[in-house]
């Protein structure tokens, strides 16, 4: 293994608290299927905010590392790794791709264990499972590359795989953050109409409009959001919820037509439940829980990269803030409070 013994990381030590920036110690050797990566850029996803806030309940793995979409360079490879080589550039993603599913690495801080999953990106150097890496060209635009680790693949996957959106169908995308923007582009790419973007922040809706949403609605301002949507289209085929708000989920279930699909991307708090009449489910209405858009990164990342190269997919406007790791807590706060309208990228090793 490389001579790298320690690295800087943003660690979740306590739920509902800021991340702690600390110098953690790496294991002495790489295990079977593990890859040591120098992380260059990382995205921040709503999933990390959910982990910090304890949306799914008590966290039994504290302290642990975070981050699941990034871009970096391979420093070293462990036994059995054939998918990537030293010095190659890679996209880091949380969905399984091809390759070995390795054991998770065990970092430490002052002799105590710091837990980690198969991929983390809020650390300058990370030990990643081979199947959470996809090799990209040295010519790949570095700053936007992390978006392919989750935001783009999830956004397109939800529309293509989960919603199975067809040409001419209508879609409401409730929550127009980083993933929502890519859902909008994916829906337009599939020939949907109208594509209705809903959010509580005008700045995000302005960005949604720039990403070709046909209509935008501010649900904080509109007193009757149901009526506002039906005034645009009385026949909604697909409703995607990115918020995890149970009232929004119930609204979507009520709005879609008899054969409509409601796709749940956002996750409600562990102690919250929705209330629906299940009878429509027997006659074609569908309520679908999404896990990363059911994507296969090894297949889908190269496919979406081609769309960018061909000018079909525009991701240049999605990144609206870049900051160093030391400022990650401020960035997370900006994301939670809607101060930042687009995607925030963390610059590592800076």
């Amino acid at each position: 293994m490389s001579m790298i013994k320690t690295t800087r990381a943003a660690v979740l030590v306590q739920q509902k608290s800021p991340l702690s920036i600390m110098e953690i110690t790496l294991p002495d050797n790489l295990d079977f299927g593990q890859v040591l990566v120098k992380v260059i850029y990382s995205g921040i996803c709503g999933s990390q905010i959910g982990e910090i806030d304890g949306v799914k309940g008590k966290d039994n793995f504290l302290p642990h590392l975070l981050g699941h979409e990034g871009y970096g360079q391979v420093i070293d490879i462990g036994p059995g790794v054939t998918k990537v080589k030293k010095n190659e550039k890679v996209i880091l993603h949380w969905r399984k791709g091809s390759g070995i599913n390795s054991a998770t690495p065990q970092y430490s801080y002052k002799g105590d264990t710091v837990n980690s999953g198969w991929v983390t990106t809020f650390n300058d150097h990370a030990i990643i499972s081979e199947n959470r890496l996809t090799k990209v060209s040295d010519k790949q635009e570095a700053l936007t590359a992390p978006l392919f680790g989750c935001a783009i693949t999830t956004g397109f996957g939800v529309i293509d795989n989960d919603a199975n959106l067809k040409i001419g169908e209508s879609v409401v995308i409730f929550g127009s953050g980083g993933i929502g923007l890519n859902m909008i582009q994916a829906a337009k790419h599939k020939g949907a109409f109208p594509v209705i973007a809903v959010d509580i922040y005008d700045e995000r809706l302005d960005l949604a409009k720039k990403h070709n949403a046909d209509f935008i609605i501010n649900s904080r301002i509109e007193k009757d959001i149901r009526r506002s949507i039906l005034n645009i289209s009385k026949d909604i085929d697909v409703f995607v919820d990115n918020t995890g708000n149970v009232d929004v989920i119930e609204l979507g279930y009520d709005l879609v037509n008899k054969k409509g699909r409601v796709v749940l991307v956002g996750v409600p708090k562990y102690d919250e439940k929705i209330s629906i009449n299940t009878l429509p489910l027997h006659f074609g209405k569908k309520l679908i829980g999404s896990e990363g858009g059911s994507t296969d990164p090894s297949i889908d990342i190269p496919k979406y990269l081609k769309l960018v190269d061909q000018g079909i997919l525009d991701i240049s406007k999605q990144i609206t803030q870049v900051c160093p790791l030391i400022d990650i807590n401020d960035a997370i706060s900006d994301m939670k409070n809607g101060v930042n309208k687009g995607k925030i990228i963390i610059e590592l090793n800076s």
Side-chain angles (χ1 to χ4, degrees), residues 57-286:
K58 181 182 177 183
D59 192 328
N60 295 315
F61 298 96
L62 297 175
H64 66 76
L65 302 181
L66 290 170
H68 69 202
E69 56 177 3
Y71 169 79
Q73 182 175 15
V74 175
I75 301 298
D76 204 355
I77 60 174
V81 174
T82 58
K83 186 177 177 180
V84 296
K85 299 176 182 177
K86 290 183 182 180
N87 298 319
E88 288 183 333
K89 301 294 175 39
V90 288
I91 289 171
L92 293 71
H93 44 79
W94 67 276
R95 293 279 298 175
K96 289 182 181 180
S98 61
I100 299 166
N101 191 63
S102 74
T104 56
Q106 292 294 308
Y107 302 94
S108 63
Y109 177 72
K110 295 184 177 179
D112 294 326
T113 297
V114 177
N115 292 307
S116 170
W118 292 275
V119 57
T120 61
T121 59
F122 292 176
N123 33 321
D124 285 331
H125 299 86
I127 296 174
I128 312 295
S129 179
E130 183 186 28
N131 64 354
R132 265 69 172 193
L133 296 171
T134 295
K135 182 175 68 174
V136 292
S137 165
D138 287 338
K139 297 178 181 179
Q140 170 64 39
E141 213 295 304
L143 188 60
T144 56
L147 302 181
F148 293 90
C150 178
I152 292 171
T153 46
T154 299
F156 270 71
V158 164
I159 295 300
D160 199 24
N161 302 325
D162 297 330
N164 194 23
L165 190 69
K166 301 292 196 302
I167 294 173
E169 288 192 319
S170 56
V171 57
V172 175
I173 296 168
F174 212 110
S176 299
I179 292 178
L181 292 176
N182 287 292
M183 292 175 183
I184 292 166
Q185 289 207 93
K188 294 303 295 182
H189 181 63
K190 295 280 285 186
F193 184 85
V195 176
I196 304 168
V198 186
D199 206 284
I200 60 174
Y201 299 110
D202 284 335
E203 295 82 0
R204 287 183 181 172
L205 291 169
D206 289 342
L207 201 55
K209 195 69 175 175
K210 291 177 181 177
H211 283 77
N212 299 319
D214 296 305
F215 299 91
I216 56 175
I217 300 173
N218 188 318
S219 57
R220 189 198 295 269
I221 296 174
E222 294 293 333
K223 293 181 180 179
D224 189 341
I225 184 64
R226 184 180 188 277
R227 181 177 295 276
S228 297
I229 292 171
L230 291 176
N231 282 341
I232 297 170
S233 174
K234 291 182 170 56
D235 187 35
I236 302 298
D237 296 294
V238 173
F239 187 103
V240 181
D241 173 58
N242 293 316
T243 70
N245 184 307
V246 293
D247 292 332
V248 173
I249 295 169
E250 291 173 3
L251 170 68
Y253 185 79
D254 180 53
L255 275 175
V256 295
N257 58 37
K258 293 181 179 180
K259 300 292 183 181
R261 289 87 75 198
V262 180
V263 184
L264 310 182
V265 180
V267 179
K269 290 184 65 176
Y270 67 96
D271 56 353
E272 294 181 339
K273 294 179 173 61
I274 65 169
S275 178
I276 61 170
N277 177 1
T278 62
L279 182 60
L281 295 174
H282 297 273
F283 299 98
K285 187 175 286 194
K286 293 182 179 179

